[in-house]
Amino acid sequence: MSEAIGWWGVPLAVFGGAVRVSTPFLFVSLGECITERSGRINLGLEGTLVMGAMSGYAVSYTTGSPWLGVIAAGAVGVLMGLAHGLICSLDRVNDIAVGIALMLFGIGLAFYLGKPFIQPAAPQLPSIDFGWWSDIPQVRAALKINALFLVGVALAPFLLWTFKNTRWGLILRTVGENAEAARALGYAIIPTRVIATCVGGFLGGIGGSFLSLYYPGSWNERLSSGQGITAVALVIFARWNPMLCFYASLLFGGAGALGPSLQSVGVTQGYYLFNAAPYVLTLLIMILTCSPKRTLIGAPGELSITR
Amino acid sequence: MMGEEAVTATPRVGLPSASILPGLRALANALVQPVAALIVSLLLFGLFVAFAGVNPLHVYAYMFQGSFGSWFSVQNSVTRASPLILTALCTALPAQLGLMIIGGEGALVMGGLFAALVGVGMNGASPLLVQCTMALVAMVAGGIWIALAGGLRHWRGVNETISSLLLVYIAIAILNHVVEGPFRDPKSLNKPSSPSIGDANLIGNIPGTEIHWGLVFGLIACVIAYVLINRTAFGFSARVAGGNVRAARMVGLPVGRLVLTVCFLGGAAAGLAGMVEVAAVQERANASLIAGYGYTGILVSFLARHNPLAIVPVAILLGGIGASGGLLQRHLDLPDAATVVLQGILFVVILASETYQGRLRLFPERAGE
């Protein structure tokens, strides 16, 4: 069968892969988007992602329910977000540095607590088969779409709407744009930022649970390779717009799926270089879209990295 | 917000003191914060292992025994400290300019890879020549890697923290590509590696010890970095630019050249760490280079407040924490990541303690000093 579609298998596998690989990017970037809109950057989401992957897997294994695992991963993400949010609320504490510290802490803690869960197999998240109409296995494989991805797809426009049209969204944006103005209007700045970081951590943890509960679908110490940090860069590229975060995640997912897709049709040359595609792409996009002369369009005014 | 950034990213510009006593007093005051943070972290770590049902006092005892309890463990700690000293400089030097570089791991990997390439390619030449070339090439490779992040920051406004971390993953992909494909030793079956650089080209140990010469490289690099930052016009310009870029431009300092040079020097230090790993420990380039020294180096730099001389004792301390991991695993059945958890706690606590910076003092400074 695989000869029947030949090289067409590559774009098809890239599409299927984009959907699969993009899901953690999508959740982490939406979470980071909320946090950054409040005027803080949380680089610790890389650690949150790994913690989420570990705790999601552990809970799914012990309870038998992958969805409980997803919720547990979210809850752990909230705790990590809370830690970041509270520590950064102290005077003279730098949010980027705390993010780096929590990244290392989260990864270390996940390896420590996750040691017993490397061997056993936990129940995985279900996927929905949109390719039932086709007999071609590659098409069916590409159209097997995970339920969590669909949640993410719904979440992106919902967040955009929330930012624009709700009281919460307005407070969040005001705090992120100009803390002085928000204070003058009587909004509580620190609680808003702490909550925004917690919500961001929640989504980051869920993104991590996808790694261990669907694709690649197991827990080990090499599970995450910078998806968390790439997603943080992706938010900048997406101009802090949740819908653009969604498109950007798909693009990054496609880049990440390129290596395995080429390998599936027998191109193994440069497999490891193709693995670097998402990082090279991120770097190139940042080079093209950033500018030393002006602040980025759409950047929250209180954000330390855009100054 | 700029003020907040300056607190963690740039050390204070200190004037040389006239007599030794105020100097000692300043040293004691400077030590209060990190020592307090270390004690708080050890207590939190004790609480953490207590939850796992392990007696914290046993943990502390084994940690001391495994790190500084015997001549063997001291040598082990110091050996582990030498790559940390060099990777810490990769964060500490750019920090003088207010840049937060966290890509030391990538520079180390590039340095190690290119050192191995050169070492294998020059096999047969006089060992000293091979070793010098390896060190030089590793420093250039690591230096270019971090200078990339600095250059992107300066000319394109790309955040250097994120770009340097992305460069780590790109460096790892390049390493994997080279040792899996074109440069693979056919004899390395389970762990793809480059061919060996040959026994003759290994840099060996300091006579009478089990500590390799990498430690001396680290010490020399720290002294050079200290003199450069604190005793030269170049270092002064860098610190001025780190304090206030706009003012630096106004007085005509070449900010771009400063950024590139300082980032290059930081990357060169981490690249040298990669060469030492290859020429003193691994004999070849493979995935063992990705051991996390780059990330621990970030913590070392922050604990040392980005002061090149303070990096040495801090790196030995953290080398000791890492060295004690094996003992904790064997005797108390703690996972080997336990020491990483302690490092994480320490990192978070030291940053949180920034909020007390200047308020924790043993000796009050008298007026007029």
Side-chain angles (χ1 to χ4, degrees), chain A residues 158-179:
Chain A
F158 172 74
L159 274 183
L160 185 67
W161 180 83
T162 310
F163 284 160
K164 279 200 173 140
N165 299 303
T166 65
R167 187 183 142 76
W168 259 100
L170 188 68
I171 296 175
L172 184 75
R173 284 189 295 141
T174 315
V175 167
E177 205 56 59
N178 191 331

Side-chain angles (χ1 to χ4, degrees), chain B:
Chain B
M1 289 300 264
M2 277 312 283
E4 277 180 28
E5 203 162 282
V7 165
T8 47
T10 47
R12 279 178 301 169
V13 180
L15 293 169
S17 45
S19 80
I20 193 90
L21 197 64
L24 276 179
R25 193 181 299 154
L27 181 70
N29 282 336
L31 279 176
V32 175
Q33 192 191 348
V35 169
L38 183 66
I39 292 169
V40 170
S41 308
L42 282 173
L43 291 176
L44 286 174
F45 184 63
L47 207 62
F48 175 76
V49 293
F51 272 114
V54 178
N55 185 343
L57 294 177
H58 290 167
V59 172
Y60 297 144
Y62 279 120
M63 283 186 72
F64 179 74
Q65 199 189 328
S67 52
F68 304 105
S70 67
W71 176 229
F72 171 80
S73 46
V74 168
Q75 294 188 83
N76 191 0
S77 304
V78 172
T79 306
R80 280 166 182 266
S82 65
L84 297 181
I85 292 174
L86 290 166
T87 51
L89 283 175
C90 187
T91 300
L93 286 174
Q96 314 295 328
L97 277 162
L99 300 178
M100 216 177 274
I101 295 279
I102 59 173
E105 186 93 353
L108 184 149
V109 164
M110 290 310 273
L113 174 63
F114 277 89
L117 287 172
V118 169
V120 174
M122 288 176 70
N123 220 333
S126 104
L128 189 66
L129 180 72
V130 178
Q131 287 159 359
C132 289
T133 320
M134 279 171 72
L136 201 68
V137 169
M139 285 164 75
V140 171
I144 289 176
W145 211 241
I146 300 301
L148 265 177
L152 288 178
R153 164 63 187 245
H154 182 69
W155 283 298
R156 297 299 313 165
V158 174
N159 178 269
E160 77 285 356
T161 311
I162 293 173
S163 69
S164 64
L165 192 55
L166 290 172
L167 284 167
V168 173
Y169 294 108
I170 296 175
I172 290 174
I174 294 175
L175 172 75
N176 283 334
H177 174 75
V178 173
V179 300
E180 292 266 356
F183 198 54
R184 179 171 183 168
D185 181 0
K187 289 193 286 292
S188 60
L189 296 174
N190 294 328
K191 189 174 200 175
S193 305
S194 75
S196 163
I197 58 167
D199 287 343
N201 295 329
L202 295 181
I203 55 175
N205 292 338
I206 301 171
T209 68
E210 298 286 311
I211 303 165
H212 58 67
W213 283 100
L215 177 71
V216 177
F217 293 2
L219 294 179
I220 295 173
C222 279
V223 171
I224 293 176
Y226 179 80
V227 171
L228 184 74
I229 295 299
N230 294 288
R231 293 285 182 271
T232 65
F234 175 85
F236 184 69
S237 326
R239 284 178 295 152
V240 168
N244 188 335
V245 176
R246 220 166 287 158
R249 286 217 176 86
M250 214 98 83
V251 296
L253 290 177
V255 175
R257 203 175 344 136
L258 283 170
V259 167
L260 276 190
T261 316
V262 170
C263 285
F264 181 88
L265 292 175
L272 187 60
M275 178 269 179
V276 168
E277 277 301 291
V278 166
V281 187
Q282 311 288 349
E283 293 181 42
R284 47 180 65 78
N286 59 30
S288 300
L289 283 174
I290 315 161
Y293 288 126
Y295 298 118
T296 311
I298 306 167
L299 169 58
V300 171
S301 179
F302 271 89
L303 266 174
R305 307 200 61 120
H306 312 305
N307 176 334
L309 290 187
I311 280 176
V312 176
V314 173
I316 292 173
L317 179 74
L318 279 166
I321 292 178
S324 65
L327 219 55
L328 293 182
Q329 200 178 359
R330 274 199 304 281
H331 290 278
L332 300 173
D333 207 22
L334 287 173
D336 49 358
T339 55
V340 188
V341 173
L342 175 58
Q343 288 177 12
I345 293 175
L346 186 54
F347 204 160
V348 174
V349 170
I350 191 78
L351 290 174
S353 76
E354 288 291 343
T355 195
Y356 295 107
Q357 209 253 308
R359 281 188 256 167
L360 287 178
R361 275 203 199 103
L362 284 181
F363 307 100
E365 277 165 36
R366 267 172 265 140
E369 274 181 3

Side-chain angles (χ1 to χ4, degrees), chain A residues 53-171:
Chain A
M54 188 280 297
S55 45
Y57 198 76
V59 168
S60 171
Y61 173 70
T62 35
T63 65
S65 160
W67 290 107
L68 269 182
V70 172
I71 298 198
V76 167
V78 170
L79 290 180
M80 297 279 292
L82 190 66
H84 185 275
L86 291 181
I87 295 169
C88 292
S89 302
L90 298 169
D91 272 350
R92 301 195 291 183
V93 173
N94 177 292
D95 54 349
I96 295 184
V98 172
I100 299 167
L102 282 175
M103 172 179 2
L104 299 181
F105 174 70
I107 293 173
L109 191 60
F111 291 177
Y112 179 95
L113 298 173
K115 203 86 191 175
F117 300 101
I118 290 181
Q119 282 301 327
Q124 298 285 299
L125 285 169
S127 58
I128 300 164
D129 192 3
F130 285 98
W132 49 268
W133 45 269
S134 169
D135 330 310
I136 305 172
Q138 284 94 333
V139 174
R140 295 191 68 136
L143 287 179
K144 246 184 162 175
I145 289 176
N146 178 266
L148 211 49
F149 176 75
L150 299 175
V151 174
V153 171
L155 197 59
F158 172 74
L159 274 183
L160 185 67
W161 180 83
T162 310
F163 284 160
K164 279 200 173 140
N165 299 303
T166 65
R167 187 183 142 76
W168 259 100
L170 188 68
I171 296 175

Side-chain angles (χ1 to χ4, degrees), chain A:
Chain A
M1 214 55 203
S2 101
E3 292 84 35
I5 59 167
W7 279 90
W8 283 106
V10 175
L12 206 57
V14 167
F15 168 78
V19 169
R20 243 177 309 155
V21 179
S22 68
T23 311
F25 285 125
L26 179 58
F27 276 90
V28 178
S29 63
L30 289 179
E32 183 68 14
C33 193
I34 298 172
T35 307
E36 289 190 17
R37 278 288 183 125
S38 80
R40 274 208 192 130
I41 179 163
N42 181 4
L43 285 182
L45 280 186
E46 177 72 30
T48 308
L49 188 86
V50 181
M51 272 302 283
M54 188 280 297
S55 45
Y57 198 76
V59 168
S60 171
Y61 173 70
T62 35
T63 65
S65 160
W67 290 107
L68 269 182
V70 172
I71 298 198
V76 167
V78 170
L79 290 180
M80 297 279 292
L82 190 66
H84 185 275
L86 291 181
I87 295 169
C88 292
S89 302
L90 298 169
D91 272 350
R92 301 195 291 183
V93 173
N94 177 292
D95 54 349
I96 295 184
V98 172
I100 299 167
L102 282 175
M103 172 179 2
L104 299 181
F105 174 70
I107 293 173
L109 191 60
F111 291 177
Y112 179 95
L113 298 173
K115 203 86 191 175
F117 300 101
I118 290 181
Q119 282 301 327
Q124 298 285 299
L125 285 169
S127 58
I128 300 164
D129 192 3
F130 285 98
W132 49 268
W133 45 269
S134 169
D135 330 310
I136 305 172
Q138 284 94 333
V139 174
R140 295 191 68 136
L143 287 179
K144 246 184 162 175
I145 289 176
N146 178 266
L148 211 49
F149 176 75
L150 299 175
V151 174
V153 171
L155 197 59
F158 172 74
L159 274 183
L160 185 67
W161 180 83
T162 310
F163 284 160
K164 279 200 173 140
N165 299 303
T166 65
R167 187 183 142 76
W168 259 100
L170 188 68
I171 296 175
L172 184 75
R173 284 189 295 141
T174 315
V175 167
E177 205 56 59
N178 191 331
E180 288 306 313
R183 194 174 289 132
L185 289 168
Y187 298 136
I189 293 162
I190 286 179
T192 308
R193 288 187 172 160
V194 172
I195 291 169
T197 316
C198 286
V199 176
F202 181 74
L203 293 180
I206 289 181
S209 72
F210 179 89
L211 287 175
S212 60
L213 291 176
Y214 189 74
Y215 181 81
S218 65
W219 159 248
N220 62 61
E221 297 182 351
R222 292 172 306 281
L223 192 58
S224 164
S225 43
Q227 282 101 330
I229 208 77
T230 316
V232 173
L234 189 149
V235 177
I236 300 171
F237 164 53
R239 294 282 178 270
W240 297 270
N241 176 330
M243 274 320 279
L244 292 181
C245 282
F246 168 60
Y247 300 131
S249 301
L250 275 183
L251 184 68
F252 280 54
L258 200 57
S261 305
L262 284 171
Q263 203 183 28
S264 72
V265 294
V267 181
T268 50
Q269 201 77 52
Y271 173 73
Y272 289 95
L273 290 183
F274 280 114
N275 274 352
Y279 313 115
V280 176
L281 186 70
T282 314
L283 210 51
L284 284 179
I285 285 172
M286 284 182 52
I287 294 168
L288 291 176
T289 55
C290 289
S291 160
K293 294 197 183 63
R294 56 182 162 77
T295 314
L296 296 169
I297 303 157
E302 294 281 327
L303 213 55
S304 53
I305 60 159
T306 52
R307 294 175 174 224

